[in-house]
């Protein structure tokens, strides 16, 4: 049909689109982005500095009483483009527990990792006391009971990483306090999962009963040794993945964790998004063409499909990172481009 543009036709089109709205449908030809040749990402690169946030975290212990006002003293880092979430899938931030304090047990469907930055203390995971020391990676997987206890003398601070934005997007967020809103009983000895899984061995009659790693604590000394024994990759430096000792897979079904020592990496971008934390050393990264200088305990976000490269300014620069790669792989949605 050869339509001639007339006032009548324009009126008819207006009326048509209005009637579509009324019945809650939209014409595909008017929806932007449906034919984008590559992802258009709302999230932007950003860096959070320890020197900016640490004083504010300490101040939180003056204004927030743990147990009374809040059951966790944590500052969540939100991407400048978002109301909630460091990326569209993950949220990171610092958490502080002062000496003598406890954070009562709870569990939730979002899974979490903790990367220890300062001080030492315990997280209890499913009855197992897990000693957290600087550089350790501790897991509190989805729906596992966890509480935090600090018997030391120096404030303990760690980087939290959770898959909350993803779980919320899936409309699958559940949360429950431990009965009585208290600490959970200890049912295993300290270091139980390290003894069972931390030496490259596993029980011969072991059964896989969870989708996450059964090892709750990855000690820094072991991880750093593995990094220093790794081959150098031009895009990642010397990089190791914290792996599930039962399967060789990622530590959590929603998040993968890595440790890498770098000099200068070549640029790359991929469809997974990543949050990096500086474990030691100083340097800078180019994220989406913008330079971000970093030093110990700073963390920064590299959104999906954003070019990035890292440059160390000291010979000992080590980065920890968490990635949402496991969410993409099952659907063959992971793509990367190497520069
Ligand atoms: Fe929690």
């Amino acid at each position: 049909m050869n339509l001639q543009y007339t006032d009548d036709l324009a009126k008819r089109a207006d009326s048509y689109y209005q009637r579509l709205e009324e019945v809650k449908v939209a014409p595909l030809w008017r929806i932007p982005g449906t034919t984008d040749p590559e992802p258009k990402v709302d999230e932007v690169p950003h860096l959070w500095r320890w020197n900016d946030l640490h004083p504010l975290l300490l101040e939180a212990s003056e204004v927030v009483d743990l147990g009374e006002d809040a059951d966790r003293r944590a500052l969540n880092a939100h991407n400048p483009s978002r109301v909630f979430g460091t990326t569209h899938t993950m949220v990171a931030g610092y958490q502080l527990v002062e000496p003598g304090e406890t954070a009562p047990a709870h569990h939730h469907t979002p899974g979490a990792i903790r990367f220890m930055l300062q001080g030492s203390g315990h997280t209890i995971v499913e009855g197992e006391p897990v000693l957290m020391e600087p550089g350790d990676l501790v897991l509190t997987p989805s729906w596992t009971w966890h509480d935090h206890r600090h018997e030391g003398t120096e404030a303990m601070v760690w980087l939290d990483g959770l898959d909350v934005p993803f779980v919320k997007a899936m409309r699958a967020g559940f949360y429950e306090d431990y009965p009585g809103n208290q600490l959970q009983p200890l049912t295993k000895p300290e270091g139980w999962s390290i003894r069972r899984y931390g030496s490259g061995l596993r029980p011969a009659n072991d059964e896989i009963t969870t989708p996450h790693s059964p090892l709750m604590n990855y000690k820094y000394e072991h991880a750093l040794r593995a990094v220093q024994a790794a081959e150098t990759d031009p895009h990642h430096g010397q990089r190791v993945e914290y792996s599930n000792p039962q399967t060789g897979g990622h530590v959590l079904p929603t998040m993968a964790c890595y440790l890498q020592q770098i000099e200068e990496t070549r640029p790359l971008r991929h469809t997974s998004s990543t949050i990096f934390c500086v474990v030691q050393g100083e340097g800078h990264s180019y994220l989406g063409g913008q330079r971000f200088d970093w030093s110990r305990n700073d963390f920064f976000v590299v959104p999906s499909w954003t070019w990035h490269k890292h440059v160390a300014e000291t010979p000992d620069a080590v980065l920890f990172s968490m990635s949402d790669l496991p969410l993409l792989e099952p659907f063959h949605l992971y793509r990367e481009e190497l520069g």
Side-chain angles (χ1 to χ4, degrees):
M1 188 167 59
N2 190 11
L3 294 176
Q4 282 190 326
Y5 189 82
T6 64
D7 283 353
D8 275 357
L9 186 57
K11 274 184 202 157
R12 187 175 158 195
D14 284 349
S15 156
Y16 174 71
Y17 290 125
Q18 196 177 335
R19 279 176 286 129
L20 289 186
E21 258 184 63
E22 283 165 11
V23 293
K24 305 296 177 202
V25 295
L28 180 61
W29 60 90
R30 281 193 154 193
I31 299 174
T34 51
T35 54
D36 287 345
E38 60 178 43
K40 284 203 174 137
V41 178
D42 294 331
E43 289 71 29
V44 295
H46 193 77
L47 180 141
W48 290 264
R49 286 184 203 291
W50 172 258
N51 286 342
D52 293 338
L53 295 191
H54 186 234
L56 293 168
L57 193 63
L58 293 178
E59 200 177 329
S61 48
E62 293 164 23
V63 297
V64 176
D65 186 48
L66 206 56
E68 289 292 320
D69 305 317
D71 73 351
R72 297 293 187 269
R73 195 187 286 113
L75 299 178
N76 280 342
H78 298 314
N79 195 283
S81 74
R82 295 181 60 86
V83 175
F84 179 82
T86 315
T87 73
H88 60 306
T89 52
M90 301 181 289
V91 62
Y94 295 133
Q95 184 165 165
L96 165 74
V97 185
E98 293 280 11
E101 288 183 332
T102 57
H106 64 207
H107 64 180
H108 35 71
T109 47
I113 63 97
R114 331 280 174 178
F115 190 80
M116 194 63 171
L117 302 176
Q118 185 185 75
S120 67
H122 286 89
T123 286
I124 316 301
V125 190
E126 289 287 304
E128 176 186 346
V130 176
L131 176 64
M132 302 168 77
E133 296 175 300
D136 289 358
L137 170 67
V138 171
L139 308 183
T140 56
S142 174
W143 212 239
T144 55
W145 292 110
H146 54 280
D147 58 71
H148 310 294
R149 309 176 189 191
H150 187 5
E151 309 88 4
T153 53
E154 185 194 4
M156 63 192 279
V157 180
W158 64 81
L159 184 80
D160 277 327
L162 295 98
D163 52 24
V164 174
F166 166 71
V167 173
K168 277 181 178 282
M170 299 307 289
R171 308 297 184 253
F174 291 87
Y175 172 96
E176 201 173 37
D177 284 321
Y178 195 77
N181 194 24
Q182 56 186 355
L183 302 175
Q184 63 185 303
L186 306 183
T187 57
K188 300 175 184 119
E190 180 174 305
W192 180 82
S193 68
I194 293 183
R195 274 185 245 173
R196 201 169 158 91
Y197 293 106
S199 305
L201 304 164
R202 61 190 175 93
N205 60 351
D206 200 22
E207 282 183 30
I208 297 176
T209 57
T210 63
H212 57 76
S213 169
L215 178 59
M216 292 300 128
N217 189 355
Y218 295 76
K219 302 301 290 180
Y220 186 56
E221 58 183 289
H222 299 158
L224 188 60
R225 231 182 288 157
V227 161
Q228 289 167 346
E231 304 289 325
T232 299
D233 176 285
H235 294 89
H236 298 286
Q238 292 168 274
R239 186 172 79 137
V240 295
E241 178 174 3
Y242 297 85
S243 73
N244 178 335
Q246 287 181 314
T247 64
H250 308 305
V251 287
L252 296 182
T254 51
M255 289 193 289
C257 293
Y258 303 88
L259 194 71
Q260 66 199 102
Q261 184 154 348
I262 51 145
E263 290 178 6
E264 179 167 354
T265 60
R266 291 195 55 77
L268 82 158
R269 63 177 177 172
H270 37 66
T271 51
S272 53
S273 51
T274 316
I275 298 164
F276 288 90
C277 181
V278 183
V279 188
Q280 53 184 61
E282 292 181 11
H284 59 272
S285 297
Y286 293 96
L287 315 176
Q290 196 183 346
R291 175 174 165 148
F292 293 85
D293 290 272
W294 41 256
S295 58
R296 190 166 170 266
N297 292 350
D298 293 348
F299 63 97
F300 55 91
V301 59
V302 182
S304 170
W305 211 236
T306 301
W307 284 106
H308 57 287
K309 67 168 280 174
H310 311 298
V311 183
E313 291 164 17
T314 57
D316 59 344
V318 174
L319 303 174
F320 167 81
S321 63
M322 63 188 99
S323 158
D324 60 7
L325 173 66
L327 299 176
L328 297 154
E329 283 177 329
F331 310 104
H332 296 223
L333 292 173
Y334 178 74
R335 286 198 193 191
E336 65 180 18
E337 190 176 347
L338 305 177

